[in-house]
Amino acid sequence: MKLLRRSTLVLAAAAALASPLAMAQANGKLKVGFMLPYTGTYAALGNAIEQGFRLYIDEQGGKLAGREIEYFKVDDESSPPKATDNVNKLIKRDQVDVLIGTVHSGVAMAMAKAAQSSNTLLIVPNGGANAITGPMCAPNIFRSSFSNWQPAYAMGEAAAKKKHKTAVTITWKYAAGNESVEGFREAFEKGGGKVIKDLTVPFPNVEFQALLTEIAALKPDMVYTFFAGGGAVKFVKDYAAAGLKDSIPLYGAGFLTDGTLKAQGDTADGLLTALHYADSLGTKRDNAFRLSYAKTYKQQPDVYAVQGYDAAQMLAIGLQAVKGDVSKKAEFAAALEKATVDSPRGSFTLSKAHNPVQDFYLRQVTQGENKVVGIASKALKDPARGCKM
Ligand code: PHB
C-alpha cells in the first residue's frame, strides 16, 4: 500500500515536471515550412497552394489547436538536384513542425525521403509521384492532392468509352509525365484502345514543333497529354496553331487547363479533361470557398488552391486530435485515417496509404471555365502498389 502510494507520488511529480515543458510546446508557435516552386514553369501553382493554405488558417483566426502558425518558405525551383538541400533548410535549420510541399513529383519524392528519415510530418499538396503513397508510404506522410495514376486512369476510361481506338501520348519526360501516361494506357487499353506512340520532351522544355508534326503524320484517333502550368499554356496554344485542334481530339489530365485558361484564351475551348476539381461544382461548400478566395486574392481559385486549402484542413484535423502536440504521430495519423475532409472539391477520405479517395470529374472548357460535364470515375482509389502500411 505504502509502496503504491509512493510510486503514485513519484509519477505525479514527474508529470508536474513534464507538463510545463509539454505546455510550452503546445502553446508555442507551430512552425509550418512551405517548400514550393515560386519561380519557373510551376510558379503560379506554388503560389496558389500557399494562398489556399493561408486562407484556411486565416479562417480559423490564424491558429490551429490553440497554436499560432509561423511560416517558413523555400523556393524549390522544381529542381530535383537541389531538393535534398532545400528540404533540409526547413528540417534542420528552421526546425519546422510540418512540411508542406511540393508541386514537382521528383522534388516531392526527395521531400518524402527526408521526412521519413527525420520523422517530420509531411503533407503533399500536389506532387503526384505514385511512390509517395506506394513504396514510400509512411505513417507521417499524407497527400491532399492525387496520385499521378488517378486522373490519368479516369481519363483513359472516358476516352475508351468514346470508342477511340488509337492514341498518341505526349508529355514531359519525368515521373509525373511517365506515370500519367502509364495510368492512361492501363485504362485505355483495358477498354479496347491502343497507344500507338509515346512522345516526350525533357522537363521543362516547351519546344513542341517537331512532335506536333509527328502527331499530324501518325493521325491517331486522339492525343492524351500531361502538361501543367506555363508548359500547358504553351502546349495548348501550339496544338491549335499547328492546326490539330479540329482534326485530332486532345484529352488530358485536367492540369492541362487548370489555372491556365486566361492565358490559353480560345485555344482551349472545348478541351475535355479529367480532374478532382472543376470551376462549376455549384455546391454550397465550393461556392463559399470560391467567394472567400476571390475576395482575399482578387483571383479565381484553381485545383492547386483547393489542394493547399485542404492540406491546411488535414493539418487541422490531425492537430486537433493531438491537442497541438505534433510528437504524437500515431494519434495524428489515426485521426486522419478516419476523417472525412470537407473539401471544396467534394468531401473525401484518405486511403490506408494516405492518398485521397475521390471523384474525378469530366470537364469541358466552356467560356473560360472548366465546366463539369460528367463523372469520369467515382470514389477512385489509387492502387497503392508497393505500400506496406
Ligand atoms: C507533378 O510533378 O507531380 C505534377 C506537377 C504539376 C501538376 C501535376 C503533377 O499539375
Coordinates of all heavy atoms in Angstrom, one line a residue, residues 34-58 71 73 100-103 125-126 144 229 255 258-260 277 279 289-290 292-294 296-312 344-345:
F34 N 6.8 25.9 -45.9 CA 6.4 25.7 -47.3 C 7.6 25.4 -48.2 O 8.5 26.3 -48.2 CB 5.8 27.0 -47.9 CG 4.4 27.3 -47.3 CD1 4.2 28.6 -46.7 CD2 3.3 26.4 -47.5 CE1 2.9 28.9 -46.3 CE2 2.1 26.8 -47.0 CZ 1.9 28.0 -46.4
M35 N 7.6 24.3 -48.9 CA 8.7 24.1 -49.9 C 7.9 24.0 -51.2 O 7.2 23.0 -51.4 CB 9.5 22.9 -49.6 CG 10.5 22.6 -50.7 SD 11.9 21.7 -50.1 CE 12.3 20.7 -51.5
L36 N 7.9 25.0 -52.0 CA 7.1 25.1 -53.2 C 7.9 25.8 -54.3 O 8.9 26.5 -54.1 CB 5.8 25.9 -52.9 CG 4.8 25.3 -51.9 CD1 3.8 26.3 -51.4 CD2 4.1 24.1 -52.6
P37 N 7.4 25.7 -55.6 CA 8.1 26.4 -56.6 C 7.5 27.9 -56.7 O 6.3 28.0 -56.8 CB 7.7 25.6 -57.9 CG 6.4 25.0 -57.6 CD 6.4 24.8 -56.1
Y38 N 8.4 28.8 -56.5 CA 8.0 30.2 -56.6 C 8.6 30.9 -57.9 O 8.3 32.0 -58.1 CB 8.4 31.0 -55.3 CG 7.6 30.5 -54.1 CD1 8.3 29.7 -53.1 CD2 6.3 30.8 -53.9 CE1 7.6 29.3 -52.0 CE2 5.6 30.4 -52.8 CZ 6.3 29.6 -51.8 OH 5.6 29.2 -50.7
T39 N 9.4 30.1 -58.6 CA 9.9 30.5 -59.9 C 9.8 29.4 -60.9 O 9.6 28.2 -60.5 CB 11.4 30.9 -59.8 OG1 12.1 29.8 -59.1 CG2 11.6 32.1 -58.9
G40 N 9.9 29.7 -62.2 CA 9.8 28.6 -63.2 C 8.4 28.3 -63.6 O 7.4 29.0 -63.3
T41 N 8.3 27.2 -64.4 CA 7.0 26.9 -65.1 C 5.9 26.6 -64.1 O 4.7 26.7 -64.5 CB 7.3 25.7 -66.1 OG1 6.2 25.7 -67.1 CG2 7.3 24.3 -65.4
Y42 N 6.2 26.2 -62.9 CA 5.2 25.8 -61.9 C 5.0 27.0 -60.8 O 4.4 26.7 -59.8 CB 5.5 24.5 -61.2 CG 5.4 23.3 -62.0 CD1 6.1 22.1 -61.7 CD2 4.5 23.2 -63.1 CE1 6.0 21.0 -62.4 CE2 4.4 22.0 -63.9 CZ 5.1 20.9 -63.5 OH 5.0 19.8 -64.2
A43 N 5.5 28.2 -61.1 CA 5.5 29.2 -60.0 C 4.0 29.6 -59.6 O 3.7 29.7 -58.4 CB 6.2 30.5 -60.6
A44 N 3.1 29.6 -60.6 CA 1.8 30.0 -60.3 C 1.1 28.9 -59.4 O 0.3 29.2 -58.6 CB 0.9 30.2 -61.6
L45 N 1.5 27.7 -59.6 CA 0.9 26.6 -58.9 C 1.4 26.7 -57.4 O 0.6 26.5 -56.5 CB 1.4 25.2 -59.5 CG 0.8 24.8 -60.8 CD1 1.2 25.8 -61.9 CD2 1.3 23.4 -61.2
G46 N 2.6 27.0 -57.2 CA 3.2 27.1 -55.8 C 2.5 28.2 -55.1 O 2.1 28.1 -53.9
N47 N 2.3 29.4 -55.8 CA 1.6 30.5 -55.2 C 0.1 30.2 -54.8 O -0.3 30.5 -53.7 CB 1.6 31.7 -56.1 CG 3.0 32.4 -56.0 OD1 3.5 32.7 -54.9 ND2 3.6 32.7 -57.1
A48 N -0.5 29.5 -55.7 CA -2.0 29.1 -55.4 C -2.1 28.2 -54.2 O -3.0 28.3 -53.4 CB -2.6 28.5 -56.7
I49 N -1.1 27.3 -54.1 CA -1.1 26.3 -53.0 C -0.9 27.1 -51.7 O -1.7 26.9 -50.7 CB 0.0 25.3 -53.1 CG1 -0.4 24.3 -54.2 CG2 0.2 24.5 -51.8 CD1 0.7 23.4 -54.7
E50 N 0.0 28.0 -51.6 CA 0.3 28.8 -50.4 C -0.9 29.6 -50.1 O -1.4 29.7 -48.9 CB 1.5 29.7 -50.6 CG 1.8 30.4 -49.3 CD 3.0 31.3 -49.3 OE1 3.9 31.1 -50.1 OE2 3.0 32.3 -48.5
Q51 N -1.5 30.3 -51.1 CA -2.7 31.1 -50.8 C -3.9 30.3 -50.3 O -4.5 30.7 -49.3 CB -3.1 31.8 -52.2 CG -2.1 32.9 -52.6 CD -2.5 33.6 -53.8 OE1 -1.9 34.6 -54.2 NE2 -3.6 33.2 -54.5
G52 N -4.1 29.1 -50.9 CA -5.2 28.3 -50.4 C -4.9 27.9 -48.9 O -5.8 27.9 -48.1
F53 N -3.7 27.5 -48.6 CA -3.3 27.1 -47.2 C -3.6 28.2 -46.3 O -4.2 28.0 -45.2 CB -1.9 26.6 -47.2 CG -1.5 25.9 -45.9 CD1 -1.4 24.6 -45.9 CD2 -1.1 26.7 -44.8 CE1 -1.0 23.9 -44.7 CE2 -0.7 26.1 -43.6 CZ -0.7 24.7 -43.6
R54 N -3.1 29.4 -46.6 CA -3.2 30.5 -45.7 C -4.7 30.9 -45.5 O -5.0 31.4 -44.4 CB -2.4 31.7 -46.2 CG -0.9 31.6 -46.0 CD -0.2 32.8 -46.6 NE 1.2 32.8 -46.5 CZ 1.9 33.4 -45.5 NH1 1.3 34.0 -44.5 NH2 3.2 33.3 -45.5
L55 N -5.5 30.8 -46.6 CA -6.9 31.1 -46.5 C -7.6 30.3 -45.4 O -8.3 30.9 -44.5 CB -7.6 30.9 -47.8 CG -9.1 31.3 -47.8 CD1 -9.3 32.8 -47.6 CD2 -9.7 30.9 -49.2
Y56 N -7.3 29.0 -45.4 CA -8.0 28.2 -44.3 C -7.5 28.6 -42.9 O -8.3 28.7 -42.0 CB -7.7 26.7 -44.6 CG -8.4 25.9 -43.5 CD1 -9.8 25.6 -43.6 CD2 -7.8 25.4 -42.4 CE1 -10.5 24.9 -42.7 CE2 -8.4 24.6 -41.4 CZ -9.8 24.4 -41.6 OH -10.5 23.7 -40.6
I57 N -6.2 28.8 -42.8 CA -5.6 29.2 -41.5 C -6.2 30.5 -41.0 O -6.6 30.7 -39.9 CB -4.1 29.3 -41.5 CG1 -3.5 27.9 -42.0 CG2 -3.5 29.7 -40.2 CD1 -3.7 26.8 -41.1
D58 N -6.3 31.5 -42.0 CA -6.9 32.8 -41.6 C -8.4 32.6 -41.2 O -8.8 33.3 -40.3 CB -6.7 33.8 -42.8 CG -5.3 34.1 -43.0 OD1 -4.4 33.8 -42.1 OD2 -5.0 34.7 -44.0
Y71 N 5.2 30.8 -40.5 CA 5.6 30.2 -41.8 C 7.0 30.4 -42.1 O 7.6 31.4 -41.8 CB 4.7 30.9 -42.9 CG 3.3 30.7 -42.8 CD1 2.4 31.7 -42.3 CD2 2.7 29.4 -43.1 CE1 1.0 31.5 -42.2 CE2 1.3 29.2 -43.0 CZ 0.5 30.2 -42.6 OH -0.9 30.0 -42.5
K73 N 9.6 29.6 -45.6 CA 9.5 29.3 -47.1 C 10.8 29.0 -47.8 O 11.8 29.7 -47.5 CB 8.9 30.6 -47.7 CG 7.4 30.7 -47.6 CD 6.9 32.1 -48.1 CE 6.9 32.3 -49.6 NZ 5.9 33.3 -50.0
I100 N 5.1 21.4 -45.9 CA 4.0 21.4 -46.9 C 4.7 21.6 -48.3 O 5.3 22.6 -48.6 CB 3.1 22.6 -46.7 CG1 2.5 22.6 -45.3 CG2 2.0 22.6 -47.8 CD1 1.5 21.5 -44.9
G101 N 4.7 20.5 -49.1 CA 5.3 20.6 -50.4 C 5.3 19.2 -51.1 O 5.1 18.2 -50.4
T102 N 5.5 19.2 -52.3 CA 5.6 20.3 -53.3 C 4.8 20.0 -54.5 O 4.0 19.1 -54.5 CB 7.1 20.7 -53.6 OG1 7.1 21.8 -54.4 CG2 7.8 19.5 -54.3
V103 N 5.1 20.7 -55.6 CA 4.4 20.5 -56.9 C 5.0 19.4 -57.7 O 4.3 18.5 -58.2 CB 4.4 21.8 -57.7 CG1 3.8 21.6 -59.1 CG2 3.5 22.9 -57.0
P125 N 0.8 18.8 -51.1 CA -0.4 19.5 -51.7 C -0.5 19.4 -53.2 O -1.3 20.2 -53.8 CB -0.1 20.9 -51.2 CG 1.4 21.0 -51.3 CD 2.0 19.7 -51.0
N126 N 0.3 18.6 -53.8 CA 0.2 18.4 -55.3 C 1.0 17.2 -55.7 O 0.4 16.2 -56.1 CB 0.7 19.6 -56.1 CG 0.4 19.4 -57.6 OD1 -0.7 19.5 -58.0 ND2 1.4 19.1 -58.4
S144 N -2.8 15.7 -50.0 CA -4.1 16.3 -50.1 C -4.6 16.4 -51.5 O -5.6 17.1 -51.9 CB -4.1 17.7 -49.5 OG -3.2 18.6 -50.2
G229 N 0.9 24.1 -65.7 CA 1.5 25.5 -65.5 C 1.8 26.1 -66.9 O 1.1 26.0 -67.9
F255 N -4.9 19.1 -65.4 CA -3.9 20.2 -65.1 C -3.6 21.0 -66.4 O -3.2 22.1 -66.3 CB -2.6 19.6 -64.6 CG -2.8 18.6 -63.6 CD1 -2.6 17.2 -63.8 CD2 -3.2 19.0 -62.3 CE1 -2.8 16.3 -62.8 CE2 -3.5 18.1 -61.3 CZ -3.2 16.7 -61.5
D258 N -6.1 23.8 -66.0 CA -6.4 24.4 -64.7 C -5.4 25.5 -64.3 O -4.2 25.3 -64.3 CB -6.4 23.3 -63.6 CG -7.7 23.4 -62.8 OD1 -8.7 22.9 -63.3 OD2 -7.6 24.0 -61.7
G259 N -5.9 26.7 -64.0 CA -5.1 27.8 -63.7 C -4.4 28.4 -64.9 O -3.6 29.2 -64.8
T260 N -4.8 28.0 -66.1 CA -4.2 28.3 -67.3 C -5.1 29.0 -68.4 O -4.6 29.5 -69.4 CB -3.6 27.0 -68.0 OG1 -4.7 26.1 -68.2 CG2 -2.5 26.4 -67.2
Y277 N -11.3 18.4 -59.5 CA -12.0 19.7 -59.2 C -12.4 20.2 -60.6 O -12.0 19.8 -61.6 CB -10.9 20.6 -58.6 CG -11.6 21.9 -58.0 CD1 -12.6 21.8 -57.1 CD2 -11.1 23.1 -58.5 CE1 -13.2 23.0 -56.7 CE2 -11.7 24.3 -58.0 CZ -12.7 24.2 -57.1 OH -13.3 25.4 -56.6
D279 N -14.5 24.2 -62.2 CA -14.9 25.5 -61.9 C -16.4 25.7 -61.6 O -16.8 26.8 -61.2 CB -14.5 26.5 -63.0 CG -13.0 26.5 -63.2 OD1 -12.3 26.6 -62.1 OD2 -12.5 26.6 -64.3
F289 N -16.1 28.7 -50.6 CA -14.7 28.7 -50.7 C -14.3 29.7 -51.9 O -13.4 30.5 -51.7 CB -14.2 27.3 -51.1 CG -12.8 27.3 -51.6 CD1 -11.6 27.5 -50.8 CD2 -12.6 27.0 -53.0 CE1 -10.4 27.5 -51.4 CE2 -11.3 27.0 -53.5 CZ -10.2 27.2 -52.7
R290 N -15.0 29.6 -53.0 CA -14.6 30.4 -54.2 C -14.8 31.9 -53.9 O -14.0 32.7 -54.3 CB -15.4 30.0 -55.4 CG -15.0 28.6 -55.9 CD -15.7 28.2 -57.2 NE -15.1 28.9 -58.3 CZ -14.0 28.4 -59.0 NH1 -13.5 27.3 -58.7 NH2 -13.6 29.1 -60.1
S292 N -14.7 33.3 -50.9 CA -13.7 33.8 -49.9 C -12.3 33.9 -50.6 O -11.6 34.9 -50.3 CB -13.7 32.7 -48.8 OG -12.6 32.9 -48.0
Y293 N -12.0 33.0 -51.4 CA -10.7 33.1 -52.1 C -10.6 34.3 -53.0 O -9.6 35.0 -53.1 CB -10.5 31.8 -53.0 CG -9.1 31.6 -53.5 CD1 -8.1 30.9 -52.8 CD2 -8.7 32.1 -54.7 CE1 -6.8 30.7 -53.2 CE2 -7.4 32.0 -55.2 CZ -6.5 31.3 -54.5 OH -5.2 31.1 -55.0
A294 N -11.7 34.5 -53.8 CA -11.7 35.6 -54.7 C -11.7 37.0 -54.0 O -11.0 37.9 -54.5 CB -13.0 35.6 -55.6
T296 N -10.3 37.5 -51.1 CA -9.0 37.7 -50.4 C -7.9 38.0 -51.5 O -7.0 38.8 -51.2 CB -8.6 36.4 -49.6 OG1 -9.7 36.1 -48.8 CG2 -7.4 36.6 -48.8
Y297 N -7.9 37.3 -52.6 CA -6.8 37.4 -53.5 C -7.1 38.1 -54.9 O -6.2 38.1 -55.7 CB -6.2 36.0 -53.8 CG -5.8 35.3 -52.5 CD1 -6.4 34.1 -52.0 CD2 -4.7 35.7 -51.8 CE1 -6.0 33.5 -50.9 CE2 -4.3 35.1 -50.6 CZ -5.0 34.0 -50.1 OH -4.6 33.4 -49.0
K298 N -8.4 38.5 -55.0 CA -8.8 39.1 -56.3 C -8.4 38.3 -57.5 O -7.8 38.7 -58.5 CB -8.1 40.5 -56.5 CG -8.1 41.4 -55.3 CD -9.5 42.0 -55.0 CE -9.5 42.7 -53.7 NZ -10.3 42.2 -52.6
Q299 N -8.7 37.0 -57.4 CA -8.3 35.9 -58.3 C -9.2 34.8 -58.1 O -9.7 34.5 -57.0 CB -6.9 35.5 -57.9 CG -5.8 35.4 -58.9 CD -4.5 34.9 -58.3 OE1 -4.5 34.0 -57.5 NE2 -3.4 35.5 -58.6
Q300 N -9.5 34.0 -59.2 CA -10.3 32.8 -59.1 C -9.4 31.6 -58.6 O -8.2 31.6 -59.0 CB -10.9 32.4 -60.4 CG -12.1 33.4 -60.8 CD -13.2 33.4 -59.8 OE1 -13.6 32.4 -59.3 NE2 -13.6 34.7 -59.5
P301 N -9.9 30.8 -57.7 CA -9.1 29.6 -57.3 C -9.0 28.6 -58.4 O -9.8 28.6 -59.3 CB -9.9 29.1 -56.1 CG -11.3 29.4 -56.4 CD -11.2 30.8 -57.1
D302 N -8.1 27.7 -58.3 CA -8.0 26.5 -59.2 C -7.7 25.3 -58.3 O -7.8 25.3 -57.1 CB -6.8 26.8 -60.2 CG -5.5 27.1 -59.5 OD1 -5.3 26.8 -58.3 OD2 -4.6 27.7 -60.2
V303 N -7.4 24.2 -59.0 CA -7.2 22.9 -58.2 C -6.1 23.0 -57.2 O -6.1 22.4 -56.1 CB -7.0 21.7 -59.2 CG1 -5.6 21.8 -59.9 CG2 -7.1 20.4 -58.5
Y304 N -5.0 23.8 -57.5 CA -3.9 23.9 -56.7 C -4.3 24.7 -55.4 O -3.8 24.3 -54.3 CB -2.7 24.6 -57.4 CG -2.5 24.0 -58.7 CD1 -2.9 24.6 -59.9 CD2 -1.9 22.7 -58.8 CE1 -2.7 24.0 -61.1 CE2 -1.7 22.1 -60.0 CZ -2.1 22.7 -61.2 OH -1.9 22.1 -62.4
A305 N -5.1 25.7 -55.5 CA -5.6 26.4 -54.3 C -6.4 25.5 -53.4 O -6.3 25.5 -52.2 CB -6.4 27.6 -54.8
V306 N -7.2 24.7 -54.0 CA -8.0 23.7 -53.3 C -7.1 22.7 -52.5 O -7.3 22.4 -51.3 CB -9.0 22.9 -54.2 CG1 -9.7 21.8 -53.4 CG2 -10.0 23.9 -54.8
Q307 N -6.1 22.2 -53.2 CA -5.2 21.3 -52.5 C -4.4 21.9 -51.4 O -4.1 21.3 -50.4 CB -4.2 20.7 -53.6 CG -4.9 19.9 -54.6 CD -4.1 19.5 -55.8 OE1 -4.5 18.7 -56.6 NE2 -2.9 20.1 -56.0
G308 N -4.1 23.2 -51.5 CA -3.4 23.9 -50.4 C -4.4 24.1 -49.3 O -4.0 23.9 -48.1
Y309 N -5.6 24.5 -49.6 CA -6.6 24.7 -48.6 C -6.9 23.4 -47.8 O -6.9 23.4 -46.6 CB -7.9 25.2 -49.3 CG -9.0 25.6 -48.5 CD1 -9.1 26.9 -48.0 CD2 -10.1 24.8 -48.2 CE1 -10.2 27.3 -47.2 CE2 -11.2 25.2 -47.4 CZ -11.2 26.5 -47.0 OH -12.3 26.9 -46.2
D310 N -6.9 22.3 -48.5 CA -7.2 21.0 -47.9 C -6.0 20.5 -47.1 O -6.2 19.7 -46.1 CB -7.7 20.0 -48.9 CG -9.1 20.4 -49.5 OD1 -9.8 21.1 -48.8 OD2 -9.5 19.9 -50.5
A311 N -4.8 20.8 -47.5 CA -3.6 20.5 -46.7 C -3.7 21.1 -45.4 O -3.5 20.5 -44.3 CB -2.3 20.9 -47.4
A312 N -4.2 22.4 -45.3 CA -4.4 23.0 -44.0 C -5.5 22.4 -43.2 O -5.4 22.2 -42.0 CB -4.7 24.5 -44.3
P344 N -13.7 21.7 -50.8 CA -14.5 22.4 -51.9 C -14.7 21.4 -53.1 O -15.7 21.6 -53.8 CB -13.6 23.5 -52.3 CG -12.8 23.8 -51.1 CD -12.5 22.5 -50.4
R345 N -13.8 20.5 -53.3 CA -13.9 19.5 -54.4 C -15.1 18.5 -54.2 O -15.5 17.8 -55.1 CB -12.6 18.8 -54.6 CG -12.4 17.7 -53.7 CD -11.0 17.0 -53.7 NE -10.0 17.8 -53.0 CZ -8.7 17.4 -52.8 NH1 -8.3 16.2 -53.3 NH2 -7.9 18.2 -52.2

